[in-house]
Amino acid sequence: MEDEDRQTNRPWDIAREFPNIEDEHTPWKLLKLLKFISLSIVAIFVFGLALCSKTSFLLLITLANEGTLILSEEQKPVALLCIGCALITSSVLLFLKSIWKACYKTSKLPRKDTMAVILFFEIIVSAGSAVLVIVAMPHFDIVTNVTIFNGVGILSALLQVIAQCSAKERNQFLLPSLCAFIFLLLGFILFGVLYIMKDPTNTQMIIWVGLAIGSSLLVSFNWWENYFRLIAKTSRNQLLKNICEDMKNCQNILHIISSLLRIAVTASVLGAYVPLSQMDWDIVRSIPGRETRIIAIIIGVQLVSSALCHWFSLAACKMHALRRCFIVPLYLASLAVMVLLIVPVIVYYEDYKLGLNGTASANFTGYCATVVDGRNRTLTGNIFTLDLLSSGTAVSWWLGFVLVTIHIFYLSVYRIQRTQDLFIRRLYEGAFVEQSLLLNTRFDIQNKEQTKKPVEMLNIYLCATMWHETYDEMMNIVISVFRLDRYRPKNNPKVNDFTFEVHIYFDDAFQDVDGGRERHLNEYGKMLVQSITEVYNIFLSTEDKLFRERHHIPDQKVIRTPYGGRLIVTMPEGNNIVIHFKDKTLIRHKKRWSQIMYLYYLLGWKLMSKYYNRWKDGDIEKELKKEINNTYILALDGDTDFQPSSVMMLIDRLRMYPKVGAACARIHPTGAGPAVWFQKFEYAVSHWLQKTAEHVFGSVLCSPGCFSLFRAKALMDNNVMKTYASRSIQASHYIQHDQGEDRWLCTLLLQQGWRVEYNAASDAYTNAPEDFKELYNQRRRWGPSTLANISDLLGSTTTTSKKNTSVSKLYLFYQMFIMCTIVLSPATICLMIASGLAFVLRIHSAAALVIAIIPPAIYLGLCYKIKEKIQLTIAALLSVMYAFLMLVVIISIIGSMIIEETILTPSSMFIIVMACIYIITAIMHPQEFTLIFYSFVYILCVPSAYLVLIIYSMVNLDNISWGTRETSVIKQEAKVKLTGAEKGTFSLTDARTETTLRLIFFEQFEPIFAYLPFSATTSNLPYFNLFSSLFLAIFLRIIYHNSYGTWQEEEQFWRDFMEKYLKPLPNDKEYQAKIKQELRELKNKVTFVFFILNAMWLVAAFTLQLFEEVLSISIPIYTVFLEPTGKFFTMDPIAFMFIVGFAITVIIQFLAMLYHRIGTLIHYVAYLDTEPKEQQLQEKQNSYQAGRQVNISAPSLINFLQTC
């Protein structure tokens, strides 16, 4: 970089390079369109499904009415049976879900008093529901049945009043709850008066009215838990608190018991009512076909629409669209039912009046009595009064229902809120789905001053590990963290969700200099400082002006540390970047040790030590636990490019789900060339299908360190951080621990009971190896470590499945099957190549198999004799050869379809189904659809990736070198004089004793220079000789004793920590030879088992092909019109078993992908609805912060670091 001051004095030099700092990857317009479409669809579905559910249920009740003409009197039990099925379906679903959760998650038994309370309320609620809809409602007219369900919230209104009165703060919804109770009570009074006035002598109808009112009151107990938790919270009664806590901890067992009890009570009421009403159950088996179809359609629509309405309502709440897609559609649905069922009656009534031609007087009530109900009885009382009472009942109930649920309009919810935090009960009521959904929504005490739930402040550490990244790669991560700084300013009072600090751990940052006494910062460290300086000016120089003032980085702290040096840079919005330059002669290097370094420094020293000092003075256990829960670590690589929205998406997962220990994003490889094209589609398939299946059915096994968010509480758990810091002492440790450290850390988390998730809504970009050698060396590390960690999990199946509710034995069986497919992939590729050769060369399958085995067998033998560099050269040649062979295989499959004139053969169907799955999957990822074009390169490279690469990885199992970014640093010559001719700057390139001492001294005491009678900073430092510096050091040491003591404590932490965990490994030749020998022995054992299994697979296939006439499976071939051709397709059992097994696995992954995409879409919509799009670039300010600014350029900072 040219000197910055000289550049500012060249007004003619108007052109500049300006990297793109905006989000160029996220398709915001597409996401906004998806948001609009999704919210519209959800709102329509919630409204339409609620309407279908209620309408179909009322039709079932109408069929059970004694006056209906659809079913005869003796066929009424069928309608009553369908009504009972509608009541218990939700209980059956709850029972199945709770059984699954109890088996694979938690199954704690409740206390006796808790069980008694639950049993009492479940009995009265289920009995009330059954009596209301089975016994009472079939005797009322359609208007009453439409409106009576709105009255079931009367007890909820009363409990709302009690809960708010018991709360200490002033409440916002006390008056609406009181009015709701009054309106609902008034509705029941008008309802009773209405039917008494219709016919006071009809004792039977009075009984039905009494049963309806009484059962409605019993049903209103259904949502008592919503208010019991609030009352118990403010109560002094410990029994209530214990019951409330026990209900929360024993939900699964309680739901199993309650669902069974509801089913039993409903069945008892239904079974008793039918014979008591002089009806016979035998008629159920002799219903005519027409009536059976009508009833089946109605009950089918009711059951499906109720379940889907519940699901779409939940999706609406998670999308943060309560008002638009949940509350308003359900309110409108209850009105639409009335319109849908009553308006046709009014239309027919008008036709009825016209049909009378004035021959007789008509009124609507008489019409309903004589025509609709068919009762043909005389009504007593004033008709106008009865109509008024009927309308008043409906209006009172509906207004009361609206007021009792009006609090949902102001309910504070987070993005992707957990279901248990949205709805108090898992159960929905199929009979009155809209009332149950709204009344089941969480009720919170909301005061008048604040209706939004406060968000706990999170503390996030962004920790990046660097080594030999290029300048462009460094720019990616530096620009990303500056974006986050602009997105979440530190000193902005409106931002209260999280604060962050960036820590970059730079491995091997120093080098020896010829003629120098100290180690100097190497070229890679200088590039990092240079990139930070450039990006700092970019983010403060975004205004569009012809002349711009150059901004300078404010005063920074450069501290010498026991591990090397530390540079602290304050970004424009106040957040800090802390760069830890590591000297490998002082501290252990490589990525895992850098991770251990920041884990113990941030979680051990910065978090625990400060509380330990306070703990001596008092109990701060609760405060410490809260901060641990709210502390996250975002692991990054040195080349990661990400957007602030991606960080927010990961935060949402950990904030909502306390058992999630880590969450990873969708990783996109960047670069150019065939190797990158292969990786683009490979990454896509692994994320689209494999990671989504792991997330849905169990837990993700690997959260990559390039962009993953970890919970501090999970990392600090037993056997996680401590075990992760252990030194490799066995040969297998070097494979599992050091070659795949990210996967091993996730294995430790899983074994301790933590869940690891995949969030496809979060995206990150990282550079992929573009060179064939680097790609093979990277996968040489990843492949064996993957198998080692999966084997570790499978070996601890019993303990892991007990501790981790997300990792079941069935899920581990799925992982074992995946592992077997990986192990046998070389043999499988040979079989695939052999089938293509057999078709093209027209030779026997057994002979083709022998030909297909020869090249990999020769390569396997050569790998044991030749050097690794030559192995890679041969692997590259084989990869090209196999790419042509794969092309032959593809053409052979197409050719077989043409020759056989059908696509209905196992191999053809397999290829077609796989292609359809991949295409549909790409369509489900519209922003990544173009990656499907890389699939052709991926298919051609399959033999290279799953045959040649695996042989190379296994044979070089004893090679534990990193294999990538292994570039050497150019040595520098020492400069023997001071540089720094620029005014106001001070830079050093020599590390003599005198200048080193001066720099160390002034950096330790820089914070108090403002109190001195002269200005002394790191940038305008006067030249003191050695003796004057020592004299001033003694003077300042007395003044600055406390702060200096704090640094001394931290320095002592580093020395103790490095001595215990990160002391550089001794160059013990004997120990290294021993480990090398153990690695070689381990390689021999593993490769023997590995290749013997593949050989056995091939021998079995070869034997079956030799005797294919006897041992093969013959499958008839059909045309595309499903007409038999008379030909048969023969396939050996092993190939058939492989196709079936692989197809089932892919279909399972595909279904998991569909489910996961729905959750991702919900997250996208919720984010767009609550977070603004990336903030626009801010206007330039004259000064960044109060105080002086110093012209510190990148060269001066680099030179200043030479002595650290």
Side-chain angles (χ1 to χ4, degrees):
M1 180 185 288
E2 297 183 21
D3 180 70
E4 296 180 358
D5 288 335
R6 294 179 183 177
Q7 286 181 354
T8 57
N9 294 325
R10 295 172 180 170
W12 51 266
D13 192 4
I14 60 174
R16 62 170 179 166
E17 288 183 331
F18 195 90
N20 187 12
I21 63 176
E22 294 301 315
D23 184 0
E24 58 182 0
H25 299 293
T26 308
W28 290 109
K29 291 184 179 180
L30 175 62
L31 292 179
K32 283 187 174 181
L33 178 63
L34 286 176
K35 171 192 170 183
F36 174 77
I37 295 174
S38 302
L39 291 179
S40 302
I41 291 175
V42 170
I44 293 172
F45 269 80
V46 170
F47 171 79
L49 292 169
L51 183 63
C52 290
S53 174
K54 181 57 68 67
T55 303
S56 56
F57 188 78
L58 290 174
L59 288 177
L60 289 175
I61 292 180
T62 304
L63 292 177
N65 191 291
E66 59 187 20
T68 186
L69 301 179
I70 302 296
L71 292 179
S72 60
E73 187 68 27
E74 62 274 6
Q75 295 174 348
K76 299 302 180 186
V78 179
L80 295 177
L81 181 62
C82 292
I83 294 172
C85 291
L87 280 180
I88 67 171
T89 298
S90 59
S91 298
V92 173
L93 295 177
L94 177 63
F95 173 76
L96 297 176
K97 183 176 182 179
S98 300
I99 284 287
W100 177 79
K101 284 182 173 289
C103 293
Y104 293 107
K105 294 185 180 293
T106 58
S107 54
K108 186 178 179 181
L109 294 175
R111 302 180 342 158
K112 292 182 179 180
D113 48 5
T114 305
M115 184 75 72
V117 172
I118 294 296
L119 291 177
F120 171 75
F121 282 108
E122 291 301 324
I123 289 174
I124 63 173
V125 169
S126 55
S129 300
V131 170
L132 177 63
V133 300
I134 295 175
V135 179
M137 288 182 64
H139 298 88
F140 299 130
D141 57 72
I142 192 70
V143 179
T144 302
N145 289 335
V146 168
T147 59
I148 194 171
F149 284 129
N150 290 329
V152 297
I154 184 169
L155 185 65
S156 295
L158 180 61
L159 291 176
Q160 283 183 15
V161 174
I162 297 173
Q164 292 181 94
C165 290
S166 62
K168 297 179 181 179
E169 63 265 21
R170 299 176 63 187
N171 304 306
Q172 186 177 8
F173 296 105
L174 182 58
L175 182 60
S177 299
L178 280 170
C179 294
F181 179 74
I182 293 172
F183 275 117
L184 293 172
L185 184 61
L186 178 62
F188 280 109
I189 294 173
L190 294 177
F191 170 66
V193 172
L194 169 65
Y195 275 91
I196 291 175
M197 290 183 62
K198 277 185 178 181
D199 188 1
T201 61
N202 191 345
T203 307
Q204 192 67 31
M205 180 56 66
I206 294 176
I207 294 176
W208 301 136
V209 170
L211 285 175
I213 295 175
S215 57
S216 297
L217 294 177
L218 293 180
V219 172
S220 64
F221 280 92
N222 195 23
W223 303 279
W224 64 277
E225 297 175 45
N226 203 353
Y227 314 99
F228 177 76
R229 60 184 180 87
L230 297 175
I231 297 173
K233 184 178 179 180
T234 57
S235 175
R236 297 180 179 179
N237 192 327
Q238 190 61 37
L239 178 61
L240 296 181
K241 295 181 182 293
N242 293 338
I243 292 176
C244 187
E245 185 66 23
D246 199 37
M247 289 168 54
K248 181 179 179 181
N249 297 331
C250 308
Q251 281 189 352
N252 294 325
I253 299 299
L254 290 175
H255 284 151
I256 292 174
I257 296 172
S258 63
S259 57
L260 290 176
L261 188 61
R262 284 188 172 227
I263 294 172
V265 171
T266 304
S268 300
V269 173
L270 179 61
Y273 176 68
V274 169
L276 289 175
S277 301
Q278 311 301 321
M279 291 183 282
D280 190 1
W281 280 115
D282 293 336
I283 195 65
V284 174
R285 290 176 288 183
S286 58
I287 299 295
R290 173 178 172 273
E291 286 79 2
T292 301
R293 287 193 296 271
I294 294 174
I295 294 175
I297 292 173
I298 294 175
I299 188 61
V301 170
Q302 206 284 328
L303 297 180
V304 173
S305 59
S306 298
L308 289 179
C309 182
H310 176 258
W311 188 89
F312 276 98
S313 299
L314 179 61
C317 297
K318 288 179 176 288
M319 285 180 173
H320 214 270
L322 268 78
R323 300 181 183 182
R324 292 165 288 176
C325 302
F326 178 60
I327 307 172
V328 173
L330 290 180
Y331 282 163
L332 294 178
S334 62
L335 294 176
V337 172
M338 193 177 302
V339 173
L340 183 65
L341 295 180
I342 295 178
V343 168
V345 177
I346 297 176
V347 172
Y348 285 123
Y349 170 60
E350 295 297 330
D351 294 340
Y352 170 73
K353 287 199 301 182
L354 292 175
L356 294 177
N357 293 324
T359 58
S361 60
N363 59 72
F364 183 70
T365 305
Y367 168 75
C368 291
T370 58
V371 179
V372 179
D373 289 340
R375 291 170 183 169
N376 197 18
R377 60 168 64 94
T378 303
L379 295 177
T380 59
N382 188 284
I383 299 299
F384 175 77
T385 304
L386 296 177
D387 290 340
L388 186 63
L389 287 174
S390 179
S391 302
T393 301
V395 171
S396 297
W397 274 336
W398 192 82
L399 287 177
F401 174 66
V402 170
L403 289 175
V404 79
T405 55
I406 197 69
H407 66 91
I408 308 176
F409 274 94
Y410 305 94
L411 185 65
S412 177
V413 297
Y414 299 120
R415 289 191 293 267
I416 60 168
Q417 185 91 47
R418 290 187 300 172
T419 305
Q420 65 191 57
D421 294 331
L422 285 170
F423 298 110
I424 299 302
R425 298 172 61 88
R426 294 179 189 166
L427 191 67
Y428 68 91
E429 301 295 335
F432 37 96
V433 65
E434 70 269 27
Q435 286 84 6
S436 69
L437 287 173
L438 290 171
L439 292 172
N440 194 31
T441 307
R442 188 186 76 240
F443 178 80
D444 289 331
I445 303 295
Q446 301 178 11
N447 55 45
K448 296 182 179 180
E449 288 77 19
Q450 182 181 8
T451 58
K452 289 188 177 182
K453 189 176 180 180
V455 179
E456 291 186 351
M457 179 72 77
L458 301 177
N459 186 26
I460 301 176
Y461 294 107
L462 280 70
C463 299
T465 55
M466 279 191 175
W467 186 27
H468 287 173
E469 281 76 11
T470 64
Y471 183 76
D472 291 336
E473 292 172 341
M474 292 179 182
M475 287 292 287
N476 285 338
I477 190 170
V478 172
I479 289 175
S480 297
V481 298
F482 271 77
R483 282 197 205 106
L484 189 61
D485 173 65
R486 185 182 63 182
Y487 190 76
R488 281 295 183 268
K490 184 176 182 179
N491 300 319
N492 189 346
K494 296 182 180 179
V495 178
N496 61 351
D497 52 354
F498 74 89
T499 60
F500 75 93
E501 187 174 80
V502 183
H503 289 260
I504 299 176
Y505 290 80
F506 206 110
D507 252 324
D508 194 14
F510 293 90
Q511 65 180 357
D512 294 322
V513 179
D514 293 337
R517 300 182 181 179
E518 298 287 340
R519 289 169 60 81
H520 285 215
L521 198 68
N522 61 28
E523 292 298 324
Y524 293 99
K526 292 178 183 179
M527 281 195 299
L528 177 59
V529 177
Q530 181 178 332
S531 64
I532 291 176
T533 306
E534 183 174 342
V535 173
Y536 187 95
N537 283 283
I538 288 172
F539 273 77
L540 285 182
S541 304
T542 55
E543 70 281 356
D544 188 15
K545 294 183 180 180
L546 295 178
F547 293 99
R548 295 176 294 272
E549 178 184 352
R550 178 168 292 278
H551 299 270
H552 304 291
I553 299 179
D555 293 345
Q556 309 302 326
K557 295 180 181 178
V558 185
I559 303 172
R560 182 169 184 174
T561 61
Y563 56 81
R566 181 193 302 168
L567 171 63
I568 303 176
V569 179
T570 303
M571 291 182 285
E573 299 299 336
N575 297 291
N576 288 335
I577 299 179
V578 183
I579 307 172
H580 304 264
F581 293 103
K582 296 171 59 180
D583 188 340
K584 68 178 182 180
T585 63
L586 302 175
I587 190 171
R588 205 173 297 175
H589 66 290
K590 290 192 176 180
K591 183 177 179 179
R592 180 160 74 96
W593 304 116
S594 293
Q595 292 176 327
I596 294 166
M597 183 178 172
Y598 66 65
L599 289 177
Y600 275 89
Y601 174 59
L602 299 175
L603 304 182
W605 168 253
K606 295 194 70 173
L607 180 60
M608 297 298 293
S609 294
K610 67 176 182 179
Y611 279 99
Y612 176 75
N613 295 330
R614 291 173 53 190
W615 171 75
K616 296 177 181 178
D617 302 327
D619 184 16
I620 45 86
E621 188 79 13
K622 185 177 181 180
E623 185 179 351
L624 174 59
K625 287 182 178 179
K626 181 180 179 181
E627 183 158 355
I628 292 175
N629 285 330
N630 295 333
T631 300
Y632 302 154
I633 287 182
L634 180 63
L636 301 167
D637 275 353
D639 60 351
T640 305
D641 181 14
F642 63 92
Q643 298 295 329
S645 59
S646 298
V647 181
M648 298 300 299
M649 300 286 191
L650 294 183
I651 291 174
D652 289 341
R653 301 301 305 184
L654 268 68
R655 190 195 289 272
M656 286 296 101
Y657 302 95
K659 287 303 293 180
V660 174
C664 61
R666 164 69 165 97
I667 307 301
H668 301 263
T670 59
V676 177
W677 300 341
F678 165 79
Q679 292 174 83
K680 282 180 178 290
F681 191 75
E682 181 201 29
Y683 272 67
V685 171
S686 64
H687 285 83
W688 292 350
L689 297 175
Q690 296 171 14
K691 259 191 167 50
T692 54
E694 290 178 350
H695 174 95
V696 172
F697 297 120
S699 177
V700 174
L701 299 189
C702 179
S703 187
C706 58
F707 193 75
S708 294
L709 190 65
F710 291 88
R711 188 186 300 274
K713 184 179 179 181
L715 295 171
M716 298 168 68
D717 201 356
N718 297 331
N719 302 323
V720 178
M721 199 162 78
K722 179 69 174 178
T723 305
Y724 193 65
S726 61
R727 177 185 169 186
S728 300
I729 58 176
Q730 298 178 10
S732 59
H733 293 171
Y734 286 93
I735 305 300
Q736 182 182 2
H737 301 178
D738 296 334
Q739 300 293 287
E741 65 288 331
D742 303 330
R743 186 175 286 272
W744 183 43
L745 180 58
C746 292
T747 300
L748 296 175
L749 290 173
L750 293 174
Q751 290 174 337
Q752 283 303 117
W754 294 96
R755 175 175 168 81
V756 181
E757 291 195 346
Y758 164 56
N759 190 347
S762 177
D763 295 279
Y765 298 81
T766 184
N767 282 27
E770 299 181 0
D771 181 66
F772 182 83
K773 174 186 174 183
E774 283 206 348
L775 175 60
Y776 259 53
N777 282 329
Q778 182 193 67
R779 301 310 169 92
R780 168 181 56 78
R781 291 187 287 111
W782 288 4
S785 68
T786 298
L787 295 178
N789 280 282
I790 295 178
S791 299
D792 190 6
L793 271 177
L794 294 176
S796 60
T797 296
T798 303
T799 56
T800 303
S801 59
K802 285 182 179 179
K803 281 187 176 182
N804 198 322
T805 57
S806 298
V807 181
S808 63
K809 292 182 180 180
L810 184 62
Y811 173 71
L812 289 176
F813 176 79
Y814 162 80
Q815 289 297 335
M816 184 179 68
F817 179 80
I818 297 295
M819 181 178 174
C820 291
T821 59
I822 296 174
V823 171
L824 296 176
S825 58
T828 305
I829 296 298
C830 290
L831 291 171
M832 181 178 64
I833 296 296
S835 65
L837 293 175
F839 177 83
V840 174
L841 302 178
R842 298 298 178 181
I843 59 177
H844 193 273
S845 299
L849 181 58
V850 172
I851 296 174
I853 293 173
I854 291 175
I858 294 175
Y859 179 65
L860 174 61
L862 290 175
C863 285
Y864 278 98
K865 298 297 182 181
I866 60 180
K867 293 183 179 180
E868 186 175 344
K869 185 176 181 180
I870 304 177
Q871 295 176 26
L872 288 169
T873 303
I874 298 176
L877 295 175
L878 285 175
S879 298
V880 174
M881 182 191 74
Y882 276 119
F884 285 101
L885 282 177
M886 276 302 297
L887 190 60
V888 171
V889 171
I890 295 172
I891 295 175
S892 68
I893 294 175
I894 298 174
S896 66
M897 295 182 193
I898 297 174
I899 292 175
E900 301 292 345
E901 297 181 350
T902 182
I903 61 173
L904 301 180
T905 60
S907 57
S908 303
M909 287 298 299
F910 176 74
I911 297 298
I912 293 173
V913 170
M914 289 294 298
C916 292
I917 286 176
Y918 284 141
I919 293 173
I920 295 173
T921 303
I923 293 173
M924 294 295 293
H925 298 76
Q927 74 276 22
E928 303 176 36
F929 181 77
T930 54
L931 296 178
I932 198 69
F933 298 110
Y934 296 114
S935 61
F936 184 70
V937 178
Y938 175 80
I939 292 172
L940 295 181
C941 294
V942 163
S944 176
Y946 295 97
L947 175 60
V948 182
L949 176 58
I950 289 182
I951 294 175
Y952 173 75
S953 300
M954 289 295 121
V955 173
N956 292 279
L957 192 67
D958 55 338
N959 184 357
I960 57 174
S961 63
W962 202 250
T964 56
R965 301 187 190 275
E966 292 185 337
T967 55
S968 58
V969 180
I970 301 174
K971 268 194 172 183
Q972 295 179 341
E973 293 184 0
K975 298 182 180 180
V976 295
K977 61 180 181 179
L978 300 173
T979 63
E982 308 97 324
K983 184 178 179 181
T985 65
F986 178 78
S987 58
L988 281 172
T989 55
D990 187 31
R992 302 181 193 178
T993 305
E994 181 177 338
T995 54
T996 302
L997 186 58
R998 274 197 313 108
L999 288 172
I1000 296 172
F1001 156 70
F1002 275 104
E1003 286 309 320
Q1004 288 178 346
F1005 297 102
E1006 185 180 5
I1008 66 162
F1009 286 154
Y1011 299 98
L1012 299 179
F1014 59 88
S1015 176
T1017 68
T1018 58
S1019 56
N1020 58 1
L1021 187 65
Y1023 192 86
F1024 289 98
N1025 59 32
L1026 177 62
F1027 300 101
S1028 59
S1029 297
L1030 291 174
F1031 175 78
L1032 187 58
I1034 297 172
F1035 170 73
L1036 294 177
R1037 190 182 185 91
I1038 300 173
I1039 300 175
Y1040 197 56
H1041 175 72
N1042 291 333
S1043 297
Y1044 185 68
T1046 303
W1047 166 245
Q1048 279 185 322
E1049 292 177 1
E1050 183 175 338
E1051 185 178 25
Q1052 187 60 42
F1053 153 74
W1054 282 114
R1055 296 190 186 280
D1056 295 341
F1057 169 61
M1058 291 166 56
E1059 179 66 26
K1060 184 173 183 180
Y1061 292 105
L1062 297 181
K1063 187 177 180 180
L1065 297 176
N1067 189 16
D1068 190 342
K1069 300 291 185 181
E1070 184 179 349
Y1071 177 77
Q1072 291 176 0
K1074 176 186 174 184
I1075 292 298
K1076 189 174 182 179
Q1077 179 61 29
E1078 290 180 357
L1079 284 168
R1080 189 178 294 111
E1081 293 175 357
L1082 176 64
K1083 178 190 73 172
N1084 294 333
K1085 294 177 182 177
V1086 172
T1087 54
F1088 176 78
V1089 174
F1090 190 90
F1091 292 118
I1092 280 295
L1093 290 175
N1094 280 270
M1096 293 173 64
W1097 183 265
L1098 290 172
V1099 168
F1102 179 78
T1103 305
L1104 291 172
Q1105 289 175 357
L1106 283 178
F1107 303 98
E1108 61 180 356
E1109 296 181 357
V1110 180
L1111 300 176
S1112 62
I1113 299 175
S1114 298
I1115 303 173
I1117 299 177
Y1118 294 87
T1119 65
V1120 291
F1121 303 104
L1122 299 181
E1123 297 176 355
T1125 62
K1127 300 179 181 179
F1128 290 87
F1129 183 86
T1130 59
M1131 178 179 291
D1132 61 86
I1134 291 181
F1136 182 77
M1137 181 180 64
F1138 169 78
I1139 289 179
V1140 172
F1142 191 79
I1144 292 174
T1145 303
V1146 173
I1147 291 173
I1148 290 174
Q1149 293 176 346
F1150 178 73
L1151 296 176
M1153 181 275 300
L1154 294 177
Y1155 178 81
H1156 192 266
R1157 289 310 291 169
I1158 295 173
T1160 302
L1161 179 62
I1162 291 173
H1163 201 172
Y1164 269 131
V1165 173
Y1167 177 81
L1168 291 173
D1169 209 44
T1170 54
E1171 284 283 336
K1173 185 178 174 290
E1174 303 295 331
Q1175 297 177 358
Q1176 300 298 322
L1177 293 173
Q1178 299 178 354
E1179 292 294 327
K1180 185 187 75 169
Q1181 299 177 351
N1182 292 330
S1183 61
Y1184 155 66
Q1185 62 181 13
R1188 61 187 181 280
Q1189 288 189 339
V1190 187
N1191 181 7
I1192 297 183
S1193 61
S1196 62
L1197 278 176
I1198 293 168
N1199 293 329
F1200 193 72
L1201 285 168
Q1202 301 301 329
T1203 56
C1204 296

